[in-house]
Structure formats: structure tokens, C-alpha cells
Amino acid sequence: MVAIMTVTPHPGAPPTQRPVRQLFAASVGNAVEWYDWYAYTFLATYIAGAVFPKGADNSLVPLLSTFAVFAVGFFMRPVGGLLMGAIADRHGRRSALTVTILLMGGSSLLVGLTPTYAAVGVLSPVVLVLARLLQGLSVGGEFAASTTFLVESARPGRRGLFSSFQYVSTTAGQLLASGIATLLVDTLDEGRMDGWGWRVPFVLGAVLSLVGFWIRRGARETRSEEQRRAPRPGLVEGVRRHPRESLLICGITMGGTIAYYTWTSYLPTYAALNAGVDTSDALLAGTISLAFFGLLQPLGGLLSDRFGRRPLLLFFGLGFALSSVPLLHALRDSFAVLLLVQCAGMVLLTGFTSISAAVNAEVFPARVRAAGIGFPYSLTVAAFGGTAPYVGTLFKELGHAGAFPWYVAALCLGSSLVYLRLPETAHGELRR
């Protein structure tokens, strides 16, 4: 395992000039990507009313509805991680970043312009499914490219800090989507919201994508001249030549993704289903804790640059393994209790999210770094993070709602065993 993580100097790397511009290019684009992704989640009810009407006679409609809402995006993320990661490794990180943001902008516009079922029939959900496929492809590729770009842009001793902006920008995009959706719902009456209001955030997302594209075009490529001259890697070379590193990414990510999606997305629903918390209170607590979470990320990155990656990972993994059950069982019909539980989880979760980009980038050599990270990471997110709400709901339906916290704890414990064996890489150079 030590051999996997050994880092060597990278004398051929480009000079780390304009680090703030590099950070801004990656963060703004990533925020726009996740704004588009989460806008769909917040407005799914209105989309369903226009695209999947109740009582539709065509039997394909409910099938396509289920596929679009619950499967398509996460299904395409591993594919996006592999394809866009390969573009980043073959043609440069900046090239991949411009492709992903244009792809997300186009798919967002496609959602906004999706015709209603009343106008074109079953073609309506087909268009929406296509848009969601493209969004999943873009988001999967975004993590692979932006993770690599962020960490390679950092000055020595600042990879953890730069890494933390992966989730700062992700959280900013999620909060922006939530805020705009809330503003529209509060401003427009039901008829206008059902008719055209739900389309506005997606058209806006397409415009923001063009802004992000312009910013990213001015960023500096982080591949060295030596890497540009080297033969281009194959599409699956990262997995084929580095299977142990690929499995290591899965182990590192497994606990982090189940904790992230449980605490940032599913917890309001879990609290409403199992503790009787009012839905509006649950959403408000979620928004406040999410903002708190975003502010914590740079602190976690700075701590890892000073004290190392492994202490923070173990703080997260063992912390969740020991506290998931008592925290989730402590939930009751109380806004204050829910907010405390969410914020406590966010503090622990920061030990993973603030440095996951740096840890992942330090696993793979530069030649296959983006695709090597993108595919196993996105596959693990799809398997454990994307299924978190459905596993929790399934346990509830089977009459074993109390088993879900143990499921979260077990996955975090499994990742903790991986963290225990990781050598420290915070103070070395990235592998060539």
C-alpha cells in the first residue's frame, strides 16, 4: 500500500502562477455545475406535473418518470468520470473543464425548454431523460477534471486548502439553486409556477454556464510539458494498470459518500418520516446546516496541510462510525434538536469532504490521474451515495427504520480501516 501512495517530485510541472485565478476558475464552474444539478431536485414536483401528468394513459410515462428521477443521473456519473477524465488526461484539464460546463449548460437549457406532455405526448419525458443523462455525464466528469485541476494548481503545502473548495463551490451551487427555487415559489402563483416559472432556473443555469466557460478559458493548464509530449493514455488505462489504486479510491469514498448524502440531502426527509419533524422546519434546518458546512471546508483543508490527511480522515470515519446511531436516534419533533444533529454531522463530515480531492489526487500518477479518480469515485458514489435515500426508505417500509443508522456506521467503519493503512501524503510532492 505504501508503494501506491509514494509521491515523487514533479519537476516538469508548470509554474504555479495565478493560483487565485486557478481556484476561481475551478470553483465558479463547479458551483454552476451543481446549481444545475440541484435545481432539478428542488423543482422535481413542478417538472413532474408538466412532463409526467397524473392519469396519463401511455404506460411508458410512469416508467420513464421513475427512470428519469431516480436512476438516470447517477447511472451516467461513472461514465462521465471515465470519459471526461480521459479527455483531461489526453487533452488537458482545462479542455475537460470547458467541455463539462458547456455540456451542463446545454443539458440545463434542454430541461428548461422541454415541451409539456400535453403538447408532444411521450416525447416530453424522452427529452427530459436525455437532458438528465447529459447532466449526469457532466457532473461525473466535472469531479474528475476539477479535482485534478484544483490540486495540481495549488502551491506546495496548500493542496488541502485548494481541495476544500471542491465542496465550498458544490455547497454554494446547492444553496443558490435552493434560494432561487424558493424565491420563485414565494413570488409566483401556482398557475405561473406550473406553466413557466419552473423553467426559469434552468435557462438561468445555461447563461451561468457560459459565464463559467469564459472564466475557465482563461485558466492555466496544469499538465506539464513532459506530460503533453508523452503518449496519450488509453480510455481505461487507469483502472487496468492501477487496479489497487482504483479499489483504494472506492474504499476512501464509500463511507464519505453515504455520510454526505445522508446529512446533506436525505436527513430532512429521514427526520420527517421517523421523528415527525415538520417538513418546513426540516428544510430550514438543512439550509442553515449546509451554509455552516460550506464555511467549515477551508478550515479542514488548512488543518490537513499542517497536520496531515490521515488524522482528518480518521476523525471523520471513526466519528461517524461511533456517532451515526446515537445522532440519528436522538432525532425528535424539535427544530433545535434536528439543527444540532445536522451541524454535529457536518463537523465530522468536513474531515472527509474538505480533503477528498487532495487525497484522491495523491493516489494516482499524473498521466491517468483524472480518469483514474473519476471512474471509481463516481461508481462508488452511485452505489452508496445515490442509493442512500432509497435504502433508508426501504428500511422504513420493512419496519426496520432503526437499521439505517447502523448501515451508515458500518460503511464509515469500513472506510476507517482503509484510512488506518494510508501513508501520509500531505507534505510530499504529487506523483508524476
Side-chain angles (χ1 to χ4, degrees):
M1 189 69 69
V2 175
I4 292 174
M5 296 292 290
T6 300
V7 289
T8 56
H10 193 347
T16 53
Q17 299 174 7
R18 303 187 300 171
V20 175
R21 175 63 183 266
Q22 297 286 92
L23 188 64
F24 187 64
S27 299
V28 170
N30 195 52
V32 171
E33 288 267 353
W34 285 99
Y35 162 82
D36 289 338
W37 176 265
Y38 280 113
Y40 181 93
T41 303
F42 294 127
L43 296 165
T45 302
Y46 298 98
I47 296 171
V51 180
F52 308 112
K54 294 180 180 180
D57 295 330
N58 195 313
S59 61
L60 285 177
V61 173
L63 175 62
L64 286 173
S65 175
T66 302
F67 186 53
V69 175
F70 297 117
V72 168
F74 280 99
F75 171 76
M76 288 301 294
R77 284 177 66 168
V79 180
L82 184 62
L83 293 179
M84 297 302 163
I87 291 175
D89 290 332
R90 291 180 176 189
H91 303 287
R93 321 311 189 198
R94 188 179 62 178
S95 297
L97 288 172
T98 55
V99 170
T100 58
I101 200 164
L102 287 177
L103 190 60
M104 180 58 84
S107 57
S108 180
L109 183 62
L110 189 59
V111 173
L113 299 180
T114 297
T116 65
Y117 185 84
V120 298
V122 74
L123 181 61
S124 176
V126 169
V127 171
L128 185 63
V129 168
L130 175 61
R132 197 61 174 166
L133 280 168
L134 295 175
Q135 282 191 324
L137 192 73
S138 176
V139 167
E142 172 69 16
F143 184 88
S146 64
T147 289
T148 306
F149 180 83
L150 270 172
V151 177
E152 290 178 347
S153 295
R155 295 185 186 277
R158 284 291 179 263
R159 291 200 301 267
L161 175 62
F162 271 52
S163 168
S164 71
F165 279 84
Q166 182 79 33
Y167 278 91
V168 170
S169 53
T170 296
T171 303
Q174 187 172 356
L175 288 171
L176 180 62
S178 174
I180 290 177
T182 302
L183 179 64
L184 285 169
V185 171
D186 289 344
T187 303
L188 301 177
D189 58 44
E190 196 71 19
R192 290 179 179 176
M193 196 65 201
D194 288 334
W196 55 267
W198 65 268
R199 301 178 185 272
V200 173
F202 299 103
V203 176
L204 176 60
V207 175
L208 291 175
S209 295
L210 292 177
V211 175
F213 169 76
W214 176 76
I215 292 172
R216 284 183 166 182
R217 288 286 294 173
R220 179 185 294 274
E221 176 54 51
T222 61
R223 287 195 310 164
S224 69
E225 190 62 35
E226 176 187 348
Q227 292 163 14
R228 297 176 200 179
R229 292 195 304 264
R232 293 175 179 176
L235 181 63
V236 294
E237 185 172 327
V239 176
R240 181 171 57 83
R241 289 199 174 184
H242 302 276
R244 293 178 65 191
E245 287 93 333
S246 298
L247 290 174
L248 188 60
I249 293 290
C250 295
I252 291 170
T253 306
M254 179 177 63
T257 191
I258 184 68
Y260 176 77
Y261 278 96
T262 297
W263 249 258
T264 64
S265 300
Y266 180 54
L267 197 58
T269 301
Y270 181 88
L273 287 175
N274 296 281
V277 178
D278 181 75
T279 302
S280 61
D281 284 346
L283 292 175
L284 178 59
T287 301
I288 294 172
S289 64
L290 199 60
F292 173 65
F293 173 69
L295 294 174
L296 287 176
Q297 300 310 297
L299 175 61
L302 285 169
L303 288 173
S304 82
D305 284 332
R306 178 159 186 177
F307 300 107
R309 317 287 189 230
R310 189 165 56 178
L312 265 74
L313 290 173
L314 289 172
F315 169 74
F316 152 73
L318 295 177
F320 261 106
L322 294 173
S323 66
S324 293
V325 175
L327 281 175
L328 292 178
H329 283 175
L331 289 173
R332 57 181 186 270
D333 189 6
S334 166
F335 172 81
V337 171
L338 174 58
L339 183 59
L340 285 173
V341 167
Q342 287 206 273
C343 288
M346 295 305 192
V347 172
L348 293 173
L349 186 57
T350 297
F352 170 80
T353 54
S354 64
I355 59 172
S356 64
V359 173
N360 288 338
E362 290 160 356
V363 169
F364 277 93
R367 186 168 184 270
V368 293
R369 181 170 289 137
I373 293 170
F375 182 69
Y377 174 86
S378 296
L379 191 65
T380 308
V381 170
F384 296 104
T387 60
Y390 317 122
V391 172
T393 303
L394 178 61
F395 279 132
K396 174 69 174 178
E397 291 178 353
L398 295 176
H400 301 289
F404 182 70
W406 289 100
Y407 172 70
V408 175
L411 291 179
C412 290
L413 179 61
S415 284
S416 297
L417 298 177
V418 176
Y419 305 151
L420 282 169
R421 295 181 59 84
L422 285 180
E424 186 53 67
T425 58
H427 308 300
E429 298 291 334
L430 281 174
R431 294 173 65 184
R432 284 199 298 158

